[in-house]
Amino acid sequence: MVSGGVVGSKASPTSTFLMVAQDVEVPNLHTTIMTPTACALACYAAGTHHCLGFLWRPFLASTGTHKDECDKERESCGRSMDGRCGLLQCIPNPSSLRFFPGAQIFLLRGQNSPAFGSIKAPGSYTMACTFAYRVYSKILLGYDEAERRCAQDGAQLIAIKSVEQQEVVQRSIQQREAHWIGLSDRHKEGDWLLSDGSKPTYMNWDLGQPNNYEKYGQDQDCVMLFQGAWNDNQCDQKLRFICQITFLEL
């Protein structure tokens, strides 16, 4: 059902996409008339800030005339090479997709991208643009315990990589409550790593942080989100925490 492919030509920029062959329609999607290849090139040209993938819906043709509606049982009903191209800024929730004959979704292939639809987030998770997340506000755990609890969901402590992701999470928590996020320098002091093992390119430290304040003989190697900013803390502190399931990693 899922295959990888390269679109474009030698004279045109190319990008690798995950093709998902299924009948889908995303509601309220701005579309333009294009072929699948032209749609792919438009997505590539737009860049990942504006296009994480695209939806292509073929015109249904009857006796050579393009129509959006067609009686599928009629022999004269076929599919045109042209169709409606819609660039996706967010990955659609599979449950929001509706049947449309011949439609396809293409997603940019990131370094750790799973096949679309292959990851199922628990119902307790909220789907954001490219990830699902859950705020554990009733359970207080140390950093390691929080990591293990996330793993039970098939998740990890949230690796915040952009201001947009920070804002999504920030709207879901109480500002006065501290929450563990997936960032630490436990392996080497001052060398911060996200929960997926990558180095952060986006940082949101509070004023004067991280300060590695020592308390009871322990320094501060784990990061919490508190009052809209990041602060290092002792990893054994019992805090609320945020788990994340990634759908598309660019």
Side-chain angles (χ1 to χ4, degrees):
M1 177 177 176
V2 180
S3 62
V6 179
V7 295
S9 65
K10 292 182 179 179
S12 304
T14 61
S15 185
T16 302
F17 291 83
L18 294 176
M19 185 179 71
V20 181
Q22 56 180 300
D23 292 334
V24 293
E25 178 183 7
V26 177
N28 304 319
L29 186 69
H30 177 70
T31 57
T32 304
I33 298 173
M34 289 184 183
T35 64
T37 298
C39 190
L41 293 176
C43 177
Y44 182 89
T48 56
H49 292 296
H50 298 96
C51 183
L52 298 181
F54 65 91
L55 172 76
W56 186 78
R57 298 180 305 185
F59 285 117
L60 298 180
S62 179
T63 62
T65 302
H66 294 175
K67 295 168 44 176
D68 282 339
E69 299 294 336
C70 181
D71 182 354
K72 291 182 291 184
E73 296 181 357
R74 291 174 55 186
E75 293 183 0
S76 60
C77 178
R79 291 174 182 163
S80 168
M81 291 302 295
D82 289 330
R84 296 197 178 277
C85 164
L87 304 187
L88 299 172
Q89 290 184 314
C90 289
I91 306 307
N93 189 330
S95 66
S96 72
L97 302 179
R98 302 183 307 205
F99 174 81
F100 191 94
Q104 294 177 325
I105 283 180
F106 296 76
L107 300 180
L108 286 170
R109 185 195 296 276
Q111 183 177 1
N112 301 311
S113 299
F116 178 72
S118 65
I119 293 182
K120 305 298 182 185
S124 56
Y125 277 62
T126 299
M127 186 161 178
C129 188
T130 58
F131 65 99
Y133 69 98
R134 178 179 177 181
V135 177
Y136 277 91
S137 59
K138 305 298 183 183
I139 306 174
L140 277 66
L141 299 175
Y143 190 92
D144 291 338
E145 295 171 305
E147 280 191 318
R148 289 192 289 271
R149 182 62 187 85
C150 290
Q152 292 177 13
D153 296 339
Q156 60 190 16
L157 284 173
I158 189 166
I160 300 177
K161 298 186 176 183
S162 68
V163 63
E164 294 82 8
Q165 191 176 13
Q166 168 83 23
E167 289 173 352
V168 167
V169 173
Q170 196 64 40
R171 291 193 295 267
S172 303
I173 63 175
Q174 295 292 328
Q175 302 300 305
R176 65 181 181 275
E177 296 173 347
H179 295 75
W180 288 127
I181 61 174
L183 182 64
S184 74
D185 67 344
R186 292 181 295 179
H187 68 295
K188 182 180 178 182
E189 186 61 39
D191 187 10
W192 298 98
L193 291 178
L194 293 164
S195 54
D196 63 3
S198 65
K199 291 184 177 294
T201 56
Y202 165 77
M203 302 288 248
N204 187 40
W205 293 111
D206 203 351
L207 184 65
Q209 301 298 331
N211 62 3
N212 200 32
Y213 176 73
E214 186 173 319
K215 184 178 180 181
Y216 303 125
Q218 297 184 20
D219 57 4
Q220 298 182 319
D221 293 332
C222 298
V223 178
M224 63 182 183
L225 174 60
F226 180 59
Q227 294 184 336
W230 302 356
N231 193 334
D232 55 344
N233 198 357
Q234 279 78 16
C235 298
D236 61 355
Q237 292 292 302
K238 304 291 186 182
L239 302 178
R240 297 165 176 82
F241 54 98
I242 307 166
C243 299
Q244 171 191 29
I245 295 175
T246 302
F247 285 95
L248 187 67
E249 182 69 48
L250 298 178

